[in-house]
Amino acid sequence: MVSIVEASGAGTPYNHYVIDIESGAETARLIEQDYLFTQAMGGLFPEQLDLTHVERMLDIGCGPGAWVNNVAFAYQDIQVVGIDSNRTMVSFARSMARVQGLENAEFNVMDARRPLAFEDQSFGLVNGRFLASFLDQACWPCLVTECKRVLTPGGILRLTECEVGISNCPALQRLNNALYQALRKQGRTFSVDGHSIGIAHTLGKFLRDAGFEKIEQRPFLLDASLGSDLYYSSRKHTEITFLLLKPFLIGSGVMGETEFEALHRTMLLDMLQDDFTCVSFGLIAWGKLPAS
């Protein structure tokens, strides 16, 4: 399995979204990715956060808005705001909210790598899932600081990132490693060796350095092995993800087209074998602002 962020970037040349964000296939893939990882995590808020005093929450890098709309449906007394820098994604998210009649879901075009266009103390909770592909090392602490500014006293910042996917398929391992190396070359990870995203272990530190308290962390596992509940969805998601990642991987110089095509074919065959196993690990980290 491989996770690509649900947001798009613009601006500096190396910080663009790693997949063609205007592609209809990418919109569908992001919706499927949201479903897969929400299931793997155990729900929208598996850590059972106390949302009693949350009146508004913000989702950063909302993409096509699946998480925002699902939360808005489940918590209809809470105003849920999603931001993304891609207008196509925001338009799609708004359309889906209208179709579902979600008056408490709102979407805005906004680049999370710049100061957020919200007043101080605007939200009781700020959520960020899979932001590693469009935030580089310098952007992370800046965004956490902005999240702190827009949170109410006692508000919660919640960060979720997926780490290394491990399987018994050499071709899938090679493709995953190529992605990690390409992201590391562009300064988007904290990996010291290029063999992981290298982000999960930094989330708690970001929260501590920004002055959050009562910091907690919850790991999760996505089992994509043959015979698992999420196998079929995961296999299709992985196939499409790497096809959409092909231009990025080749353009980054981590592999050539011939190698990619051979690895992708072999991966698809290996994932059909009776002994195929694959798991992806991730972490949810959250902390609260001091109440005063």
Side-chain angles (χ1 to χ4, degrees):
M1 277 298 298
V2 58
S3 168
I4 302 300
V5 302
E6 301 163 326
S8 57
T12 53
Y14 64 89
N15 258 338
H16 60 285
Y17 190 60
V18 298
I19 291 174
D20 179 9
I21 198 65
E22 304 295 340
S23 167
E26 175 59 358
T27 301
R29 189 197 68 83
L30 287 173
I31 293 171
E32 182 66 18
Q33 175 177 288
D34 177 86
Y35 166 79
L36 281 171
F37 280 96
T38 297
Q39 293 298 308
M41 291 175 200
L44 296 170
F45 296 103
E47 64 277 32
Q48 298 181 339
L49 295 177
D50 181 7
L51 304 178
T52 305
H53 302 293
V54 176
E55 297 180 357
R56 297 182 76 213
M57 65 175 65
L58 171 67
D59 185 41
I60 297 172
C62 66
W67 188 88
V68 170
N69 287 332
N70 286 332
V71 172
F73 179 81
Y75 299 88
Q76 297 188 20
D77 57 339
I78 297 177
Q79 185 74 20
V80 191
V81 180
I83 62 170
D84 196 283
S85 61
N86 184 267
R87 293 183 181 277
T88 301
M89 287 292 167
V90 169
S91 295
F92 181 90
R94 287 172 178 165
S95 297
M96 293 305 297
R98 285 196 297 269
V99 168
Q100 298 175 63
L102 299 172
E103 296 183 358
N104 60 325
E106 174 187 333
F107 297 93
N108 296 294
V109 177
M110 199 176 301
D111 189 344
R113 293 174 298 124
R114 297 181 173 87
L116 301 176
F118 297 111
E119 296 182 357
D120 296 355
Q121 302 183 15
S122 295
F123 300 97
L125 183 145
V126 175
N127 181 67
R129 300 205 312 173
F130 312 129
L131 307 182
S133 287
F134 76 98
L135 290 182
D136 62 18
Q137 293 184 16
C139 286
W140 271 101
C142 295
L143 177 58
V144 172
T145 299
E146 271 296 280
C147 292
K148 180 180 178 181
R149 179 184 66 79
V150 302
L151 279 169
T152 58
I156 301 167
L157 175 56
R158 179 180 188 259
L159 300 171
T160 302
E161 293 295 332
C162 189
E163 263 300 340
V164 179
I166 302 174
S167 78
N168 64 348
C169 171
L172 178 54
Q173 289 296 105
R174 169 67 180 120
L175 287 168
N176 274 328
N177 286 333
L179 174 62
Y180 303 149
Q181 291 163 18
L183 292 173
R184 182 170 180 259
K185 285 176 65 175
Q186 297 185 347
R188 305 192 196 199
T189 79
F190 290 82
S191 172
V192 297
D193 58 10
H195 295 301
S196 69
I197 299 277
I199 186 63
H201 66 282
T202 67
L203 299 181
K205 184 177 187 300
F206 290 149
L207 295 170
R208 286 192 298 273
D209 289 349
F212 286 86
E213 60 184 21
K214 299 180 180 178
I215 297 169
E216 298 185 58
Q217 300 182 93
R218 185 183 192 275
F220 64 87
L221 170 72
L222 195 164
D223 186 355
S225 306
L226 191 144
S228 68
D229 291 341
L230 297 177
Y231 165 72
Y232 292 104
S233 296
S234 298
R235 187 184 72 191
K236 191 63 177 178
H237 177 264
T238 301
E239 176 185 358
I240 294 172
T241 295
F242 277 112
L243 284 176
L244 294 173
L245 277 170
K246 177 182 175 181
F248 173 69
L249 296 176
I250 294 173
S252 298
V254 295
M255 65 171 49
E257 183 170 1
T258 301
E259 181 185 8
F260 175 89
E261 294 291 350
L263 288 169
H264 195 263
R265 285 194 302 269
T266 302
M267 177 194 76
L268 296 181
L269 291 173
D270 287 351
M271 292 178 76
L272 294 172
Q273 301 305 307
D274 292 341
D275 64 345
F276 174 72
T277 56
C278 178
V279 292
S280 296
F281 301 92
L283 187 73
I284 307 170
W286 66 97
K288 291 186 175 183
L289 276 185
S292 60

